[in-house]
Amino acid sequence: MSASSHKQAAWQAHIITLFPDMFPGPLGTSLSGRALETGAWACRAHDLRAFGTGRHRTVDDTPAGGGAGMVLRADIASAALTETRNKAGDLPVLLPSPRGVPFTQKMAADLSAGGGAIFMCNRFEGVDERFIEAHDLREVSLGDYILSGGEVAAFAMLDAIIRLLPGVMGSAASHDEESFTDDLLEYPQYTRPASWQGRDIPDVLTSGNHGDIAAWRRARAQEITAARRPDLWARFQARNRVGAPKKPDDEKSG
Ligand code: SAH
């Protein structure tokens, strides 16, 4: 097979969920939808209900020790994950959870470089802790707020991963400049018209001087990061040994 006709194997997304009909959902449109059609990734939703017990295929039970809500049973969650692993092969498993480590651009990049991932989507108050221990699962959080289930978290994580897959986005180079890649948020963007409601595009961007444009963008990115995300800014400063961000006025006078 020649290099040009070599087709890369599809990145495999496996989702274990009580709502398999939700998938691919929003990921079936636009960029990720086209990538699904062209075979850059494949989406398989596995019905958790199929592993339930009794006439109603129950998957949850009341929490030991009392309290509100229901808990996904360890035996049922484990049966579903084991069967999915048998079908999917050795892929990383993510358990969306508000207790997890925050999902980051770095994680999205690492996962996109692999062969796929299994998302164990949970509802209710959570899942029996013994299931998490027995499978040594990585809990991953979308942020400090509570969703009603892991599915929406899986959509967000998958979206971040899929756009990084080879050939999915037009220009791979643009990834290098995006927010978070460098611990910096992105600089402001402008497009035509040149003047809108009395607001002009900054002169430097229409100057044609690529060095000046790059410097201006870098300075704005630093300024915005320092103002909005002290956590990222501290990390950027530590890595790059830089001081306070440059303001637009500093550059004009300096
Ligand atoms: N009682 C739990 C919240 C349960 S929310 C707690 O206080 O930690 C129901 C399910 O939605 C969770 O089990 C998880 O699968 C998913 N979920 C909720 N918030 C999430 C978040 N911020 N990130 C990822 N998954 C989340």
Side-chain angles (χ1 to χ4, degrees), residues 96-98 122-126 140-143 145-150 153:
S97 159
N122 187 21
R123 293 245 147 195
F124 324 116
E125 285 311 312
V140 185
S141 171
L142 211 57
Y145 39 80
I146 307 294
L147 303 168
S148 51

Side-chain angles (χ1 to χ4, degrees), residues 51-132:
F51 298 88
T53 61
R55 202 157 57 87
H56 297 293
R57 299 237 157 250
T58 304
V59 300
D60 56 347
D61 210 329
T62 54
M70 300 293 275
V71 176
L72 179 62
R73 285 171 50 147
D75 53 348
I76 287 161
S78 187
L81 180 56
T82 301
E83 178 152 325
T84 303
R85 271 180 152 159
N86 287 343
K87 285 183 191 154
D90 190 22
L91 293 177
V93 182
L94 304 183
L95 181 71
S97 159
R99 301 191 317 184
V101 295
F103 188 73
T104 60
Q105 187 63 21
K106 167 94 168 56
M107 259 187 238
D110 290 348
L111 285 163
S112 75
I118 299 170
F119 293 83
M120 178 75 211
C121 295
N122 187 21
R123 293 245 147 195
F124 324 116
E125 285 311 312
V127 60
D128 190 306
E129 190 74 16
R130 293 169 295 177
F131 164 70
I132 303 173

Side-chain angles (χ1 to χ4, degrees), residues 88-193:
D90 190 22
L91 293 177
V93 182
L94 304 183
L95 181 71
S97 159
R99 301 191 317 184
V101 295
F103 188 73
T104 60
Q105 187 63 21
K106 167 94 168 56
M107 259 187 238
D110 290 348
L111 285 163
S112 75
I118 299 170
F119 293 83
M120 178 75 211
C121 295
N122 187 21
R123 293 245 147 195
F124 324 116
E125 285 311 312
V127 60
D128 190 306
E129 190 74 16
R130 293 169 295 177
F131 164 70
I132 303 173
E133 286 169 14
H135 289 270
D136 195 19
L137 293 185
R138 183 149 65 133
E139 294 179 72
V140 185
S141 171
L142 211 57
D144 290 345
Y145 39 80
I146 307 294
L147 303 168
S148 51
E151 290 81 5
V152 168
F155 282 136
M157 295 176 200
L158 279 168
D159 184 84
I161 294 163
I162 290 161
R163 63 193 290 286
L164 297 178
L165 294 174
V168 170
M169 294 239 309
S171 159
S174 65
H175 292 316
D176 300 338
E177 292 200 357
E178 279 175 333
S179 294
F180 307 118
T181 304
D182 199 17
D183 287 330
L184 288 180
L185 303 178
E186 199 179 54
Y187 50 80
Q189 301 275 15
Y190 300 86
T191 187
R192 280 185 280 269

Side-chain angles (χ1 to χ4, degrees), residues 11-59:
W11 194 92
Q12 302 288 323
H14 290 270
I15 304 105
I16 303 170
T17 168
L18 284 171
F19 302 97
D21 293 348
M22 275 193 189
F23 293 86
L27 301 176
T29 59
S30 190
L31 203 75
S32 51
R34 212 160 48 237
L36 191 58
E37 270 168 31
T38 61
W41 71 292
C43 185
R44 291 203 50 196
H46 306 272
D47 189 4
L48 182 56
R49 182 72 63 195
F51 298 88
T53 61
R55 202 157 57 87
H56 297 293
R57 299 237 157 250
T58 304
V59 300

